[in-house]
Short mmCIF file of all heavy atoms in Angstrom, two decimals:
data_model
loop_
_atom_site.label_atom_id
_atom_site.label_comp_id
_atom_site.label_asym_id
_atom_site.label_seq_id
_atom_site.Cartn_x
_atom_site.Cartn_y
_atom_site.Cartn_z
N GLY A 138 -26.56 -14.09 -59.26
CA GLY A 138 -26.90 -13.71 -57.87
C GLY A 138 -26.22 -12.49 -57.41
O GLY A 138 -25.22 -11.96 -57.92
N ASN A 139 -26.72 -12.01 -56.29
CA ASN A 139 -26.18 -10.81 -55.60
C ASN A 139 -24.74 -11.05 -55.05
O ASN A 139 -23.87 -10.05 -55.14
CB ASN A 139 -27.10 -10.36 -54.48
CG ASN A 139 -28.42 -9.93 -54.92
OD1 ASN A 139 -28.60 -9.60 -56.08
ND2 ASN A 139 -29.49 -10.18 -54.10
N ARG A 140 -24.41 -12.22 -54.68
CA ARG A 140 -23.19 -12.52 -54.20
C ARG A 140 -22.11 -12.33 -55.31
O ARG A 140 -20.94 -11.85 -55.05
CB ARG A 140 -22.98 -13.88 -53.58
CG ARG A 140 -21.70 -14.30 -52.85
CD ARG A 140 -21.69 -15.69 -52.56
NE ARG A 140 -22.59 -16.04 -51.46
CZ ARG A 140 -22.25 -16.04 -50.18
NH1 ARG A 140 -21.08 -15.78 -49.79
NH2 ARG A 140 -23.17 -16.37 -49.33
N ARG A 141 -22.48 -12.73 -56.54
CA ARG A 141 -21.52 -12.52 -57.57
C ARG A 141 -21.32 -10.99 -57.81
O ARG A 141 -20.07 -10.63 -58.05
CB ARG A 141 -22.16 -13.01 -58.97
CG ARG A 141 -21.28 -12.92 -60.06
CD ARG A 141 -21.99 -12.98 -61.38
NE ARG A 141 -22.56 -11.68 -61.69
CZ ARG A 141 -22.02 -10.64 -62.27
NH1 ARG A 141 -20.75 -10.75 -62.58
NH2 ARG A 141 -22.70 -9.54 -62.58
N ILE A 142 -22.20 -10.12 -57.64
CA ILE A 142 -22.07 -8.72 -57.80
C ILE A 142 -21.17 -8.20 -56.81
O ILE A 142 -20.19 -7.41 -57.04
CB ILE A 142 -23.40 -8.00 -57.74
CG1 ILE A 142 -24.28 -8.47 -58.97
CG2 ILE A 142 -23.23 -6.51 -57.92
CD1 ILE A 142 -25.72 -7.83 -58.97
N VAL A 143 -21.40 -8.60 -55.57
CA VAL A 143 -20.56 -8.09 -54.44
C VAL A 143 -19.13 -8.52 -54.53
O VAL A 143 -18.15 -7.77 -54.26
CB VAL A 143 -21.16 -8.49 -53.08
CG1 VAL A 143 -20.29 -8.12 -51.87
CG2 VAL A 143 -22.62 -7.85 -52.86
N ASP A 144 -18.95 -9.75 -54.91
CA ASP A 144 -17.55 -10.31 -55.12
C ASP A 144 -16.80 -9.61 -56.30
O ASP A 144 -15.66 -9.41 -56.29
CB ASP A 144 -17.63 -11.84 -55.30
CG ASP A 144 -17.83 -12.58 -53.94
OD1 ASP A 144 -17.61 -11.95 -52.92
OD2 ASP A 144 -18.26 -13.76 -54.04
N ALA A 145 -17.60 -9.43 -57.39
CA ALA A 145 -17.00 -8.83 -58.65
C ALA A 145 -16.65 -7.41 -58.44
O ALA A 145 -15.63 -6.90 -58.99
CB ALA A 145 -18.09 -8.98 -59.81
N PHE A 146 -17.36 -6.70 -57.48
CA PHE A 146 -17.09 -5.25 -57.30
C PHE A 146 -16.97 -5.04 -55.75
O PHE A 146 -17.88 -4.48 -55.18
CB PHE A 146 -18.16 -4.45 -57.92
CG PHE A 146 -18.31 -4.54 -59.38
CD1 PHE A 146 -19.15 -5.49 -59.93
CD2 PHE A 146 -17.48 -3.77 -60.28
CE1 PHE A 146 -19.33 -5.58 -61.31
CE2 PHE A 146 -17.60 -3.91 -61.68
CZ PHE A 146 -18.48 -4.83 -62.18
N PRO A 147 -15.83 -5.49 -55.14
CA PRO A 147 -15.74 -5.42 -53.76
C PRO A 147 -15.74 -4.01 -53.18
O PRO A 147 -15.96 -3.85 -52.02
CB PRO A 147 -14.38 -6.09 -53.52
CG PRO A 147 -13.67 -6.02 -54.73
CD PRO A 147 -14.66 -6.11 -55.82
N THR A 148 -15.47 -2.92 -54.00
CA THR A 148 -15.41 -1.56 -53.56
C THR A 148 -16.69 -0.92 -53.83
O THR A 148 -16.82 0.31 -53.76
CB THR A 148 -14.22 -0.85 -54.05
OG1 THR A 148 -14.35 -0.75 -55.56
CG2 THR A 148 -12.94 -1.42 -53.70
N MET A 149 -17.75 -1.61 -54.36
CA MET A 149 -18.99 -0.99 -54.68
C MET A 149 -19.61 -0.18 -53.56
O MET A 149 -19.63 -0.66 -52.43
CB MET A 149 -20.02 -2.06 -55.22
CG MET A 149 -21.38 -1.44 -55.53
SD MET A 149 -22.59 -2.74 -55.82
CE MET A 149 -22.08 -3.14 -57.50
N ARG A 150 -20.17 1.01 -53.86
CA ARG A 150 -20.71 1.83 -52.88
C ARG A 150 -22.20 2.13 -53.29
O ARG A 150 -22.48 2.62 -54.42
CB ARG A 150 -19.96 3.13 -52.64
CG ARG A 150 -18.57 2.89 -52.12
CD ARG A 150 -17.83 4.15 -51.87
NE ARG A 150 -18.41 4.81 -50.69
CZ ARG A 150 -18.03 4.52 -49.46
NH1 ARG A 150 -17.17 3.65 -49.15
NH2 ARG A 150 -18.60 5.20 -48.39
N PHE A 151 -23.17 1.90 -52.37
CA PHE A 151 -24.56 2.19 -52.60
C PHE A 151 -24.75 3.74 -52.41
O PHE A 151 -24.28 4.32 -51.42
CB PHE A 151 -25.39 1.42 -51.75
CG PHE A 151 -26.87 1.73 -51.72
CD1 PHE A 151 -27.66 1.68 -52.90
CD2 PHE A 151 -27.56 2.26 -50.57
CE1 PHE A 151 -28.92 2.03 -52.90
CE2 PHE A 151 -28.85 2.59 -50.60
CZ PHE A 151 -29.57 2.43 -51.83
N ILE A 152 -25.55 4.37 -53.23
CA ILE A 152 -25.81 5.79 -53.14
C ILE A 152 -27.34 6.09 -52.89
O ILE A 152 -28.06 5.98 -53.73
CB ILE A 152 -25.47 6.57 -54.40
CG1 ILE A 152 -23.98 6.29 -54.70
CG2 ILE A 152 -25.61 8.08 -54.19
CD1 ILE A 152 -23.55 6.87 -56.07
N PRO A 153 -27.71 6.24 -51.50
CA PRO A 153 -29.04 6.54 -51.17
C PRO A 153 -29.54 7.85 -51.76
O PRO A 153 -28.66 8.74 -51.96
CB PRO A 153 -29.07 6.46 -49.61
CG PRO A 153 -27.73 5.84 -49.28
CD PRO A 153 -26.80 6.11 -50.34
N LYS A 154 -30.83 8.14 -51.84
CA LYS A 154 -31.23 9.39 -52.26
C LYS A 154 -30.85 10.48 -51.34
O LYS A 154 -31.10 10.40 -50.14
CB LYS A 154 -32.78 9.44 -52.44
CG LYS A 154 -33.21 8.41 -53.48
CD LYS A 154 -34.70 8.40 -53.62
CE LYS A 154 -35.16 7.42 -54.74
NZ LYS A 154 -36.72 7.44 -54.78
N ASN A 155 -30.20 11.53 -51.83
CA ASN A 155 -29.77 12.71 -51.10
C ASN A 155 -28.90 12.41 -49.92
O ASN A 155 -28.85 13.02 -48.91
CB ASN A 155 -31.00 13.44 -50.59
CG ASN A 155 -31.97 13.90 -51.71
OD1 ASN A 155 -31.48 14.36 -52.72
ND2 ASN A 155 -33.22 13.79 -51.46
N LYS A 156 -28.10 11.32 -50.01
CA LYS A 156 -27.25 10.90 -48.99
C LYS A 156 -25.82 10.57 -49.56
O LYS A 156 -25.75 10.33 -50.77
CB LYS A 156 -27.70 9.60 -48.22
CG LYS A 156 -29.11 9.82 -47.56
CD LYS A 156 -28.95 10.61 -46.28
CE LYS A 156 -30.23 10.62 -45.54
NZ LYS A 156 -30.18 11.28 -44.24
N SER A 157 -24.81 10.56 -48.75
CA SER A 157 -23.52 10.19 -49.24
C SER A 157 -23.47 8.64 -49.36
O SER A 157 -24.23 7.96 -48.85
CB SER A 157 -22.36 10.62 -48.24
OG SER A 157 -22.69 10.04 -46.99
N SER A 158 -22.49 8.26 -50.30
CA SER A 158 -22.44 6.82 -50.60
C SER A 158 -22.03 5.97 -49.39
O SER A 158 -21.38 6.49 -48.51
CB SER A 158 -21.44 6.56 -51.72
OG SER A 158 -20.10 7.04 -51.42
N ILE A 159 -22.32 4.74 -49.44
CA ILE A 159 -21.98 3.85 -48.28
C ILE A 159 -21.54 2.59 -48.91
O ILE A 159 -22.11 2.00 -49.86
CB ILE A 159 -23.15 3.64 -47.31
CG1 ILE A 159 -22.73 2.60 -46.24
CG2 ILE A 159 -24.36 3.14 -48.08
CD1 ILE A 159 -23.84 2.42 -45.13
N SER A 160 -20.43 1.89 -48.32
CA SER A 160 -19.90 0.65 -48.88
C SER A 160 -21.00 -0.49 -48.81
O SER A 160 -21.56 -0.72 -47.73
CB SER A 160 -18.68 0.30 -48.02
OG SER A 160 -18.39 -1.16 -48.30
N VAL A 161 -21.23 -1.25 -49.76
CA VAL A 161 -22.16 -2.30 -49.79
C VAL A 161 -21.79 -3.27 -48.83
O VAL A 161 -22.55 -3.85 -48.06
CB VAL A 161 -22.37 -2.85 -51.28
CG1 VAL A 161 -23.14 -4.00 -51.18
CG2 VAL A 161 -23.04 -1.77 -52.15
N LYS A 162 -20.47 -3.68 -48.82
CA LYS A 162 -20.02 -4.80 -48.01
C LYS A 162 -20.23 -4.37 -46.48
O LYS A 162 -20.44 -5.16 -45.72
CB LYS A 162 -18.53 -5.11 -48.29
CG LYS A 162 -18.34 -5.97 -49.52
CD LYS A 162 -17.01 -6.60 -49.61
CE LYS A 162 -16.93 -7.57 -50.62
NZ LYS A 162 -15.66 -8.37 -50.75
N GLU A 163 -19.84 -3.10 -46.18
CA GLU A 163 -20.06 -2.63 -44.83
C GLU A 163 -21.51 -2.71 -44.41
O GLU A 163 -21.89 -3.10 -43.28
CB GLU A 163 -19.58 -1.23 -44.56
CG GLU A 163 -18.01 -1.24 -44.67
CD GLU A 163 -17.56 0.21 -44.60
OE1 GLU A 163 -18.25 1.05 -43.99
OE2 GLU A 163 -16.37 0.48 -44.98
N MET A 164 -22.44 -2.35 -45.35
CA MET A 164 -23.88 -2.24 -45.04
C MET A 164 -24.42 -3.58 -44.76
O MET A 164 -25.28 -3.85 -43.95
CB MET A 164 -24.61 -1.57 -46.19
CG MET A 164 -26.05 -1.32 -45.90
SD MET A 164 -26.84 -0.12 -47.04
CE MET A 164 -26.77 -1.08 -48.52
N ILE A 165 -23.97 -4.68 -45.47
CA ILE A 165 -24.56 -5.96 -45.29
C ILE A 165 -23.66 -6.92 -44.35
O ILE A 165 -23.90 -8.01 -44.23
CB ILE A 165 -24.76 -6.67 -46.61
CG1 ILE A 165 -23.48 -6.88 -47.39
CG2 ILE A 165 -25.73 -5.91 -47.45
CD1 ILE A 165 -23.58 -7.56 -48.72
N GLY A 166 -22.60 -6.26 -43.82
CA GLY A 166 -21.71 -7.03 -42.93
C GLY A 166 -20.92 -8.12 -43.59
O GLY A 166 -20.67 -9.04 -42.98
N TYR A 167 -20.64 -7.92 -44.93
CA TYR A 167 -20.00 -9.00 -45.65
C TYR A 167 -18.55 -8.53 -45.72
O TYR A 167 -18.07 -8.05 -46.76
CB TYR A 167 -20.65 -9.05 -47.10
CG TYR A 167 -20.25 -10.17 -47.92
CD1 TYR A 167 -20.37 -11.46 -47.51
CD2 TYR A 167 -19.61 -9.93 -49.23
CE1 TYR A 167 -20.00 -12.50 -48.34
CE2 TYR A 167 -19.31 -10.96 -50.07
CZ TYR A 167 -19.44 -12.21 -49.54
OH TYR A 167 -19.14 -13.25 -50.41
N ILE A 168 -17.84 -8.83 -44.65
CA ILE A 168 -16.46 -8.41 -44.60
C ILE A 168 -15.45 -9.48 -44.92
O ILE A 168 -15.68 -10.72 -44.61
CB ILE A 168 -16.17 -7.88 -43.12
CG1 ILE A 168 -17.17 -6.79 -42.80
CG2 ILE A 168 -14.73 -7.30 -43.09
CD1 ILE A 168 -17.24 -5.56 -43.69
N ASN A 169 -14.41 -9.10 -45.61
CA ASN A 169 -13.29 -10.09 -45.97
C ASN A 169 -13.82 -11.19 -46.88
O ASN A 169 -13.42 -12.34 -46.85
CB ASN A 169 -12.67 -10.79 -44.73
CG ASN A 169 -11.90 -9.73 -43.87
OD1 ASN A 169 -11.32 -8.80 -44.45
ND2 ASN A 169 -11.89 -9.90 -42.59
N THR A 170 -14.92 -10.90 -47.56
CA THR A 170 -15.61 -11.77 -48.56
C THR A 170 -15.99 -13.16 -48.07
O THR A 170 -15.98 -14.16 -48.68
CB THR A 170 -14.65 -11.96 -49.83
OG1 THR A 170 -13.53 -12.65 -49.47
CG2 THR A 170 -14.30 -10.72 -50.48
N LYS A 171 -16.26 -13.17 -46.76
CA LYS A 171 -16.64 -14.42 -46.12
C LYS A 171 -17.98 -14.24 -45.20
O LYS A 171 -18.04 -13.15 -44.61
CB LYS A 171 -15.56 -14.98 -45.19
CG LYS A 171 -14.39 -15.36 -45.98
CD LYS A 171 -13.32 -15.97 -45.00
CE LYS A 171 -12.05 -16.32 -45.74
NZ LYS A 171 -11.01 -16.85 -44.88
N VAL A 172 -18.83 -15.16 -45.30
CA VAL A 172 -20.02 -15.08 -44.46
C VAL A 172 -20.01 -16.46 -43.60
O VAL A 172 -19.95 -17.55 -44.20
CB VAL A 172 -21.34 -15.12 -45.27
CG1 VAL A 172 -22.55 -15.19 -44.46
CG2 VAL A 172 -21.40 -13.84 -46.08
N LYS A 173 -20.01 -16.31 -42.32
CA LYS A 173 -19.92 -17.42 -41.40
C LYS A 173 -21.13 -18.37 -41.59
O LYS A 173 -22.25 -17.94 -41.73
CB LYS A 173 -19.86 -16.95 -39.94
CG LYS A 173 -18.50 -16.24 -39.72
CD LYS A 173 -18.43 -15.90 -38.21
CE LYS A 173 -17.11 -15.20 -37.92
NZ LYS A 173 -16.97 -14.74 -36.57
N LYS A 174 -20.88 -19.63 -41.44
CA LYS A 174 -21.99 -20.62 -41.57
C LYS A 174 -22.24 -21.29 -40.19
O LYS A 174 -21.36 -21.29 -39.33
CB LYS A 174 -21.61 -21.74 -42.57
CG LYS A 174 -21.38 -21.17 -44.03
CD LYS A 174 -20.93 -22.39 -44.86
CE LYS A 174 -20.69 -21.88 -46.33
NZ LYS A 174 -20.36 -22.92 -47.24
#
């Protein structure tokens, strides 16, 4: 699953076309590796 990818690579940055990279965790609001329930 996607959560495994995000946890395995916490500094991963998504690279949109013709744009600068953006932190995946920041983009999905997944900060401090926790999602509130």
Side-chain angles (χ1 to χ4, degrees):
N139 297 335
R140 187 188 290 267
R141 183 201 76 83
I142 297 175
V143 176
D144 283 341
F146 298 93
T148 61
M149 176 187 281
R150 299 184 69 83
F151 171 61
I152 306 175
K154 294 179 180 178
N155 303 319
K156 299 283 186 179
S157 58
S158 64
I159 177 174
S160 167
V161 170
K162 281 196 171 184
E163 289 177 21
M164 186 164 65
I165 61 180
Y167 188 58
I168 307 301
N169 296 328
T170 65
K171 293 180 181 178
V172 176
K173 293 182 179 179
K174 299 179 181 179

